[in-house]
């Protein structure tokens, strides 16, 4: 298996090694690892968001993005409206020949890059496809259901592994919900940096799939 690319959504980096995916695939008899990688990111972001104290609403994120775009464009318009005044305000006696023009070109390039990022963010927010552990996703991600992410992982596990019928692999001090799916979630959460106790995970699984 070749090295896998990093999945980074908003402020959520998720970059397990190829060896991790290979072990997970072998353990749970999962054939389509590429599909699995893509599917688990959203639920993991929801899981991580539930443990973060600072969260922003979708509406606030959208309005702030719009305000930032407007401010950026207004600044550009002010700079372009009177080139000579702009140069007079920005020029310093200590400037090297051509230094100001180079700085202005760099600034214009930076503005374009920032504007592209903001437009991409705005588009994703409007289509409800933007993902971030700090911004509540709104539609499709229940705010008060703390087990929603685990239910999504259960559905993903059922879609990708033939072990979906095996919840209990024999006796365990954690109970009947500590089998294959428990091991799957434990491995995924550990790799994503999501801390969850073994007993809490087992009881949460019980609530989700019983």
């Amino acid at each position: 298996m070749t090295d896998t690319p990093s999945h980074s959504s908003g402020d959520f980096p998720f970059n397990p090694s190829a060896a991790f995916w290979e072990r997970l695939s072998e353990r749970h008899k999962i054939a389509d690892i590429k599909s699995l990688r893509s599917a688990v990111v959203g639920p993991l972001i929801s899981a991580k968001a539930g443990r973060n104290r600072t969260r922003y609403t979708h509406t606030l994120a959208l309005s702030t993005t719009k305000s930032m775009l407007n401010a950026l464009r207004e600044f550009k318009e002010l700079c372009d409206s009177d080139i000579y005044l702009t140069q007079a305000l920005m020029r310093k006696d200590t400037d090297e020949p051509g230094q100001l023009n180079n700085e202005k070109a760099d600034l214009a390039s930076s503005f374009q890059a920032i504007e592209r990022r903001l437009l991409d963010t705005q588009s994703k927010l409007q289509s409800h496809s933007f993902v971030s552990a700090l911004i509540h996703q709104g539609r499709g991600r229940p705010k008060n259901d703390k087990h929603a992410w685990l239910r999504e992982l259960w559905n993903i596990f059922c879609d990708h592994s033939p072990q979906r019928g095996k919840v209990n692999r024999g006796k365990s001090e954690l109970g009947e919900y500590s089998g294959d799916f428990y091991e799957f979630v434990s491995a995924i959460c550990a790799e994503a940096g999501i801390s969850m106790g073994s007993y809490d995970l087992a009881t949460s699984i019980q609530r989700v799939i019983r």
Side-chain angles (χ1 to χ4, degrees):
M1 182 177 291
T2 58
D3 290 338
T4 54
S6 169
H7 287 258
S8 182
S9 301
D11 45 61
F12 180 79
F14 183 58
N15 187 27
S17 66
F20 168 81
W21 291 115
E22 191 170 355
R23 289 195 302 270
L24 197 71
S25 172
E26 182 178 352
R27 169 64 185 83
H28 298 288
K29 298 178 172 61
I30 298 172
D32 193 348
I33 286 295
K34 184 177 180 180
S35 172
L36 177 68
R37 289 202 313 265
S38 176
V40 299
V41 174
L44 291 177
I45 289 172
S46 293
K48 206 147 190 172
R51 289 161 173 74
N52 198 304
R53 293 181 180 180
T54 304
R55 298 188 68 193
Y56 305 96
T57 65
H58 179 271
T59 302
L60 177 60
L62 193 57
S63 63
T64 301
T65 303
K66 183 178 180 180
S67 297
M68 292 171 74
L69 276 168
N70 289 339
L72 184 65
R73 289 164 180 167
E74 183 177 354
F75 182 78
K76 288 167 61 179
E77 288 174 3
L78 285 170
C79 289
D80 294 341
S81 62
D82 193 327
I83 299 297
Y84 296 107
L85 175 59
T86 300
Q87 289 180 337
L89 292 171
M90 297 174 67
R91 188 180 300 280
K92 294 182 179 180
D93 294 337
T94 55
D95 284 345
E96 298 291 336
Q99 180 178 335
L100 179 58
N101 288 334
N102 291 336
E103 291 178 357
K104 286 172 59 182
D106 290 341
L107 184 62
S109 178
S110 297
F111 277 171
Q112 290 176 357
I114 293 171
E115 186 175 30
R116 284 195 298 269
R117 284 178 177 265
L118 287 173
L119 287 171
D120 180 61
T121 297
Q122 185 181 56
S123 175
K124 288 181 177 178
L125 284 168
Q126 289 173 338
S127 64
H128 291 268
S129 61
F130 183 79
V131 286
S132 168
L134 295 180
I135 297 172
H136 181 249
Q137 305 305 305
R139 186 175 62 192
R141 297 188 186 279
K143 185 175 182 179
N144 297 321
D145 188 353
K146 68 177 183 179
H147 299 299
W149 67 274
L150 190 57
R151 189 173 296 110
E152 290 182 52
L153 282 183
W154 170 244
N155 292 331
I156 292 168
F157 183 74
C158 290
D159 289 340
H160 289 80
S161 172
Q163 296 174 337
R164 54 187 173 274
K166 301 178 183 178
V167 177
N168 178 26
R169 289 195 307 109
K171 294 181 180 180
S172 167
E173 62 182 13
L174 295 175
E176 62 179 306
Y177 294 94
S178 58
D180 295 299
F181 179 57
Y182 171 90
E183 293 186 16
F184 172 82
V185 176
S186 293
I188 289 285
C189 286
E191 197 69 21
I194 297 171
S195 177
M196 194 169 188
S198 56
Y199 179 78
D200 288 341
L201 178 56
T203 54
S204 295
I205 291 175
Q206 181 179 355
R207 294 188 186 98
V208 167
I209 65 178
R210 65 183 173 183

